[in-house]
């Protein structure tokens, strides 16, 4: 695909070659993310960061990624503080805000909303999550992390064995990740969810059409027994009609140290897009795994910066200028 000037709306836009391109650029962002070097390559550029649903890491990491490339960030969060609360359409909002920004990241509760916004935008738009549909940048950072974890074990993504656990019906991260895995070969997926919260049928069909083995299960313990990655997710309570309905499923699948030790192969990597629901009645990924070396959740969040920097650099066509515009830094860098 041609990255320059493109919207990033769905994983369906990408070929395997494009994914490798994003990852190769992401690798080169490490010194900037680690604060060993600074670049001002996007000096003067403005990111419009528009988040109409709760977000911590996606919103902040998009903003930090843009800042790390030297750009400025303007944010709108929540409908109540934006003119959408006065009845303004996505079309008008897009026409207006794209006049103020060089690129826009958007999260919105409605399926297809970010694409609709992008059609009216005068600048590239990146989907930060459109309701239960897709979350393409999360899938990219997840696969980047999977690749990194497997490389450390002298393996590649082809032949991966992964269990996805939790609310697979509403979880946009697993939807995008499954679509991404269709670009690879010979993947074995075990999809663990309550029957009512199963992965959408069309995504299972996409996986099977790609030649992958897909097992559907309601049993956590045995599903995580022979996998490289156990990818846990939260019950997406905001997608249910009532809290009671979500409560019915909360806490159904809990991964903790005891279960991990009893059932998982010793090398199994634990992932979660976060936020994990740490309330006692949920706790799908227990804090007693916090110091486990195979817990990759904070490597995922760190990698989010690299992948998002790479996407900005590609979409705004500055990849080749970064090296030349960089200098060393010498402030205290913390324990990175
Ligand atoms: C996810 C999301 O918003 O879809 N969070 C994230 O962006 N990392 C997952 C979730 O909210 O459960």
């Amino acid at each position: 695909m041609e990255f320059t000037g493109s919207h990033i709306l769905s994983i369906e836009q990408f070929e395997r070659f494009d994914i490798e391109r994003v990852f190769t650029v992401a690798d080169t962002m490490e010194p900037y993310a680690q604060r060993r070097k600074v670049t001002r390559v996007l000096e003067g550029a403005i990111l419009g960061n528009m988040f109409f649903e709760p977000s911590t890491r996606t919103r902040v990491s998009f903003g930090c990624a843009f800042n790390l490339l030297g750009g400025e960030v303007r944010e709108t969060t929540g409908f109540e503080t934006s003119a959408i609360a006065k009845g303004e359409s996505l079309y008008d909002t897009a026409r207006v805000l794209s006049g103020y920004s060089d690129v826009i990241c958007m999260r919105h509760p409605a399926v297809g909303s970010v694409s609709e916004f992008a059609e009216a935008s005068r600048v590239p738009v990146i989907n930060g999550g459109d309701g239960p549909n897709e979350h393409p940048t999360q899938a990219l950072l997840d696969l980047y992390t999977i690749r990194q974890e497997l490389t450390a074990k002298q393996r590649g993504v082809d032949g991966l064995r992964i269990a996805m656990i939790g609310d697979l019906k509403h979880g946009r991260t697993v939807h995008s990740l499954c679509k991404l895995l269709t670009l690879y070969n010979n993947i074995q997926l075990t999809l663990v969810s309550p029957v009512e919260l199963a992965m959408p049928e069309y995504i299972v069909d996409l996986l099977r059409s790609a030649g992958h083995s897909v097992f559907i299960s309601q049993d956590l313990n045995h599903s995580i027994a022979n996998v490289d990655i156990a990818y846990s997710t939260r019950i997406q309570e905001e997608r249910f009609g009532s809290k009671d309905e979500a409560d019915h499923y909360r806490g159904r699948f809990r991964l903790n140290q005891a279960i991990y030790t009893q059932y998982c192969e010793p090398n199994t990597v634990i992932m979660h897009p976060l936020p994990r629901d740490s309330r006692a009645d949920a706790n799908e990924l227990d804090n007693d795994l916090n110091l486990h070396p195979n817990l990759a959740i904070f490597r995922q969040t760190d990698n989010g910066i690299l992948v998002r920097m790479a996407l900005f650099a590609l979409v705004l066509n500055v990849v080749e200028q970064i090296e030349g515009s960089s200098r060393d830094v010498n402030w205290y860098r913390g324990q990175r």
Side-chain angles (χ1 to χ4, degrees):
M1 73 184 259
E2 173 58 54
F3 280 99
T4 306
S6 286
H7 303 302
I8 308 288
L9 301 173
S10 165
I11 284 297
E12 288 169 27
Q13 294 170 242
F14 292 86
E15 304 284 349
R16 183 162 170 167
F17 174 82
D18 305 318
I19 305 300
E20 295 305 323
R21 175 90 178 114
V22 174
F23 290 175
T24 304
V25 176
D27 288 342
T28 68
M29 298 301 173
E30 186 83 30
Y32 306 97
Q34 295 272 328
R35 315 300 200 269
R36 291 198 301 275
K37 285 185 177 180
V38 238
T39 169
R40 309 302 300 161
V41 75
L42 287 186
E43 189 162 27
I46 294 178
L47 164 67
N49 218 12
M50 306 177 58
F51 277 71
F52 297 118
E53 274 194 327
S55 173
T56 302
R57 74 221 81 236
T58 306
R59 179 173 57 83
V60 177
S61 70
F62 268 126
C64 288
F66 207 74
N67 288 151
L68 286 166
L69 290 168
E72 306 277 345
V73 182
R74 284 279 165 267
E75 283 199 343
T76 307
T77 51
F79 288 117
E80 59 292 342
T81 53
S82 96
I84 293 183
K86 299 181 186 172
E88 186 163 64
S89 66
L90 278 176
Y91 176 88
D92 285 1
T93 311
R95 297 301 296 171
V96 173
L97 285 165
S98 57
Y100 301 161
S101 318
D102 296 274
V103 56
I104 292 175
C105 295
M106 185 175 182
R107 170 173 288 186
H108 190 285
V111 172
S113 53
V114 183
S115 301
E116 185 188 332
F117 182 93
E119 271 175 41
S121 171
R122 295 177 267 171
V123 298
V125 175
I126 302 181
N127 184 0
D130 62 324
N133 185 34
E134 276 226 41
H135 194 344
T137 64
Q138 178 73 39
L140 290 169
L141 77 87
D142 285 341
L143 189 66
Y144 185 82
T145 307
I146 291 172
R147 198 182 69 143
Q148 195 172 60
E149 300 289 322
L150 293 178
T151 304
K153 300 176 172 78
Q154 283 85 47
R155 296 263 317 277
V157 175
D158 292 324
L160 171 75
R161 302 165 303 159
I162 182 169
M164 297 183 184
I165 305 144
D167 184 352
L168 306 184
K169 177 181 178 188
H170 303 109
R172 54 193 171 199
T173 71
V174 284
H175 299 168
S176 290
L177 183 55
C178 282
K179 289 181 183 179
L180 190 44
L181 290 174
T182 63
L183 300 177
Y184 291 79
N185 300 320
N186 192 25
I187 311 285
Q188 183 182 303
L189 295 103
T190 308
L191 304 176
V192 190
S193 71
V195 176
E196 302 85 344
L197 303 183
M199 182 67 75
E201 204 54 47
Y202 91 96
I203 295 180
V204 175
D205 290 346
L206 283 177
L207 291 165
R208 292 204 165 119
S209 306
H212 299 338
S213 308
V214 183
F215 305 100
I216 311 284
S217 171
Q218 283 84 51
D219 172 47
L220 173 69
N221 297 351
H222 295 99
S223 299
I224 55 176
N226 298 296
V227 297
D228 305 300
I229 308 283
Y231 188 107
S232 169
T233 66
R234 176 181 70 88
I235 298 296
Q236 308 281 295
E237 62 181 24
E238 63 277 33
R239 311 278 176 231
F240 289 81
S242 69
K243 182 175 175 301
D244 283 356
E245 209 188 322
D247 283 347
H248 180 65
Y249 301 106
R250 224 190 290 275
R252 196 76 74 85
F253 304 112
R254 297 167 189 248
L255 182 54
N256 58 32
Q257 180 68 65
I259 290 175
Y260 183 92
T261 308
Q262 186 174 351
Y263 292 98
C264 289
E265 293 172 359
N267 273 336
T268 303
V269 174
I270 307 159
M271 295 178 62
H272 191 301
L274 301 182
R276 54 180 156 167
D277 187 343
S278 295
R279 290 170 288 194
D281 59 344
N283 214 20
E284 69 266 1
L285 184 55
D286 201 287
N287 283 326
D288 70 1
L289 285 161
N290 280 0
L291 298 179
H292 199 290
N294 286 331
L295 185 75
I297 56 178
F298 303 118
R299 295 193 281 277
Q300 285 172 267
T301 52
D302 283 355
N303 287 337
I305 292 281
L306 304 179
V307 166
R308 291 182 172 120
M309 287 178 79
L311 287 172
F312 286 134
L314 285 160
V315 165
L316 297 177
N317 194 24
V318 292
V319 173
E320 308 306 330
Q321 300 166 45
I322 294 175
E323 183 77 39
S325 78
S326 75
R327 63 177 170 80
D328 292 343
V329 298
N330 43 27
W331 61 72
Y332 173 70
R333 296 187 295 114
Q335 296 169 355
R336 289 175 193 282

